[in-house]
Amino acid sequence: MSSKNTIAGLANVSLCASALDKALHRPAHLPGMIVMYGPSGIGKSFSAAYCANKYQAYYVECKSSWTRKALLMAILNSMGVMPAKTLPEMTEQACEQLALSGKPLIIDEMDHIVEKKAVEIVRDLYEGSQGTILMIGEERLPAKLKAWERFHNRILDWVPAQLADLSDCAALAHLYSPEVKFDDDLLIEITKKSKGIVRRICVNIEQVRRVAIDAGVAKINLNDWGERVFYTGEAPSRRL
Amino acid sequence: MTTAVKENKRRPAHIERIGGLNKRDRIWAQIRKQRDFDVKSLYSALDGISKGSVHHYLECLYAGGYIAIVIESKPRQYRLIKDCGVEAPRLRKDGSEVSQGRINDNMWRTMKILKTFDWLDLSRIASTDDLQIKPVTAKRYVEALCHARYLHCVGASAPGSRAVYRFLPHMNTGNRAPMIQSDRSLYDPNLGKIVYQRGEK
């Protein structure tokens, strides 16, 4: 666990950062695109945020309505470049800035455009800049990308996001509840009940923190928590 | 020198920076346009920028290896050798990079990624191993942006819980972070204007 107050210690964040680091320092003959995929709520966007800040990357999040033009506009906006009028010009602008700055491009929620023509723009950008591009999406993203043969062999690394484990849970508790210490038995229970989903772990840590603060204690364990229920993301069962 | 050898055959795409430009942004844009230049050619193309500012920035760029001296004798001729795109390199006199502004940059970027957050989230997630952001810094920034209506407060603070904010998507004005100025007004470099002044409601 990192002693500093960053999310660098979380498993997915460090996986993602090291894959990106490797791509940025790759030898010239290797491809430069990376794909990170996994179910929602697992901390992919945390990883994206950390990597974007660490490498001062350009970041866009795709929307399902996006056309090729919308994608290019968003990318140019994230670069701070005044967009030209036509698609070919805009593509060239984005390639130019990617190549010159050497900064990576992060495309989040890639699922939204993977079945559309917009995905071809991503390939054009890569071909035109030979830059580093990180694509992030849901579990089935690799399968969908496979449909685009020319895409597929330009991928340097496929990074499956991991479910959060106990050490991730402890790191999150340390980050989000600096004033209340969590006992290990409680952390184990939270990890189990949250099924490794980072978003749920965060909610549970917040609940426990409130209970501890209301009780005026600086340390809390499973006994103190007692019969209270954890947030599991499931609809509540009826108790009569 | 033969005229046949032209170094930069490849014409750069026209990439032009959005928004208000400061002195160094404008000098850098002019350098990228001219490629081969001297102080005079820059100075005469730029309105309202002193020769001193041009000299000083060229010194930084030279030390950082972005430009080279082609002809040493006066007037010194320079050439752009490391073009890093539309963003003007932020450099000190010895050519090292200035990290000032990175804190705001990181928070601005992170807010757009997280969309819903509180100031503790922001200080943790926007921090990297070489740049720690204090919770109080994040709090001040979030509050300033909320005043300027970039953020919407979705849950007010209460004892034991922090206020939750949402980034308003239509307020994504660009890639450069709004900054709190010394008189505590908020300046948005993407729009090139002050978007909030203290006492405004």
Side-chain angles (χ1 to χ4, degrees), chain A residues 67-87:
Chain A
T67 57
R68 291 180 295 176
K69 185 173 181 186
L71 173 65
L72 279 169
M73 292 281 269
I75 291 173
L76 289 172
N77 182 44
S78 78
M79 293 171 165
V81 173
M82 192 85 77
K85 289 208 174 67
T86 66
L87 285 182

Side-chain angles (χ1 to χ4, degrees), chain A residues 10 75 104 109 114 120 181 206 208 226:
Chain A
L10 299 181
I75 291 173
E109 307 283 358
V114 75
E120 293 278 351
K181 278 219 165 308
E206 181 60 19
V208 174

Side-chain angles (χ1 to χ4, degrees), chain A residues 11-236:
Chain A
N12 283 332
V13 174
S14 61
L15 268 177
C16 187
S18 67
L20 194 54
D21 198 70
K22 213 168 74 185
L24 282 167
H25 300 110
R26 69 188 185 271
H29 64 279
L30 291 180
M33 294 205 271
I34 321 168
V35 177
M36 186 182 202
Y37 60 98
S40 78
I42 197 173
K44 296 193 299 289
S45 290
F46 271 28
S47 311
Y50 181 81
C51 290
N53 288 326
K54 187 168 164 73
Y55 300 102
Q56 295 171 58
Y58 303 119
Y59 173 94
V60 291
E61 186 187 315
C62 301
K63 307 243 162 35
S64 58
S65 61
W66 274 13
T67 57
R68 291 180 295 176
K69 185 173 181 186
L71 173 65
L72 279 169
M73 292 281 269
I75 291 173
L76 289 172
N77 182 44
S78 78
M79 293 171 165
V81 173
M82 192 85 77
K85 289 208 174 67
T86 66
L87 285 182
E89 281 174 315
M90 286 161 79
T91 310
E92 203 179 317
Q93 285 181 311
C95 288
E96 173 97 4
Q97 178 64 18
L98 264 188
L100 290 177
S101 67
K103 292 180 184 176
L105 170 66
I106 300 178
I107 307 179
D108 204 351
E109 307 283 358
M110 184 73 186
D111 309 76
H112 287 314
I113 58 163
V114 75
E115 277 154 341
K116 295 190 192 177
K117 276 194 185 146
V119 77
E120 293 278 351
I121 293 283
V122 180
R123 209 201 61 226
D124 287 349
L125 288 181
Y126 173 70
E127 288 298 315
S129 67
Q130 295 294 310
T132 301
I133 302 179
L134 167 63
M135 290 171 280
I136 301 179
E138 304 265 305
E139 197 65 25
R140 286 181 50 234
L141 181 60
K144 288 177 182 169
L145 276 176
K146 265 180 197 147
W148 302 85
E149 181 56 42
R150 285 170 300 179
F151 225 98
H152 200 234
N153 46 30
R154 288 173 174 84
I155 308 287
L156 176 68
D157 219 346
W158 303 86
V159 186
Q162 312 285 327
L163 288 171
D165 59 10
L166 182 60
S167 74
D168 286 340
C169 187
L172 286 166
H174 173 74
L175 281 179
Y176 284 103
S177 174
E179 66 274 64
V180 179
K181 278 219 165 308
F182 286 50
D183 254 10
D184 277 349
D185 55 354
L186 186 60
L187 288 173
I188 292 170
E189 190 65 15
I190 292 178
T191 314
K192 207 169 82 189
K193 284 278 160 54
S194 309
K195 299 209 173 71
I197 306 289
V198 170
R199 198 174 289 155
R200 293 181 197 158
I201 292 178
C202 291
V203 173
N204 284 322
I205 286 170
E206 181 60 19
Q207 286 184 349
V208 174
R209 188 185 73 94
R210 292 240 186 117
V211 167
I213 285 180
D214 286 346
V217 293
K219 210 169 181 312
I220 186 162
N221 61 30
L222 194 53
N223 262 340
D224 303 330
W225 179 253
E227 290 301 302
R228 295 180 183 90
V229 279
F230 284 109
Y231 171 72
T232 57
E234 283 154 24

Side-chain angles (χ1 to χ4, degrees), chain A residues 4-8 45-46 48-50 52-59 61 76-84 89 92-94 96-97 99-103 108 128 174-179 206 209-210 213, chain B residues 10-19 32 35 83-87 90 97 102 105-107 109-110 112-115 118 120-121 123-133 159-162 172-175:
Chain A
K4 285 186 172 179
N5 290 324
T6 71
I7 54 169
S45 290
F46 271 28
Y50 181 81
N53 288 326
K54 187 168 164 73
Y55 300 102
Q56 295 171 58
Y58 303 119
Y59 173 94
E61 186 187 315
L76 289 172
N77 182 44
S78 78
M79 293 171 165
V81 173
M82 192 85 77
E89 281 174 315
E92 203 179 317
Q93 285 181 311
E96 173 97 4
Q97 178 64 18
L100 290 177
S101 67
K103 292 180 184 176
D108 204 351
H174 173 74
L175 281 179
Y176 284 103
S177 174
E179 66 274 64
E206 181 60 19
R209 188 185 73 94
R210 292 240 186 117
I213 285 180
Chain B
R10 180 168 159 270
R11 292 309 305 164
H14 291 282
I15 46 178
E16 191 186 322
R17 210 166 175 187
I18 298 172
R32 293 193 65 232
R35 306 250 147 193
D83 184 358
C84 61
V86 286
E87 287 159 71
R90 288 194 274 202
E97 221 175 298
R102 290 256 331 258
D105 284 349
N106 279 13
M107 289 195 289
R109 201 183 280 125
T110 307
K112 294 190 272 186
I113 300 176
L114 294 178
K115 291 182 280 290
D118 61 44
L120 188 65
D121 288 336
S123 82
R124 302 296 196 233
I125 296 173
S127 293
T128 58
D129 37 13
D130 48 6
L131 188 83
Q132 272 295 308
I133 297 174
S161 70
R162 300 173 286 274
N172 184 3
T173 50
N175 72 328

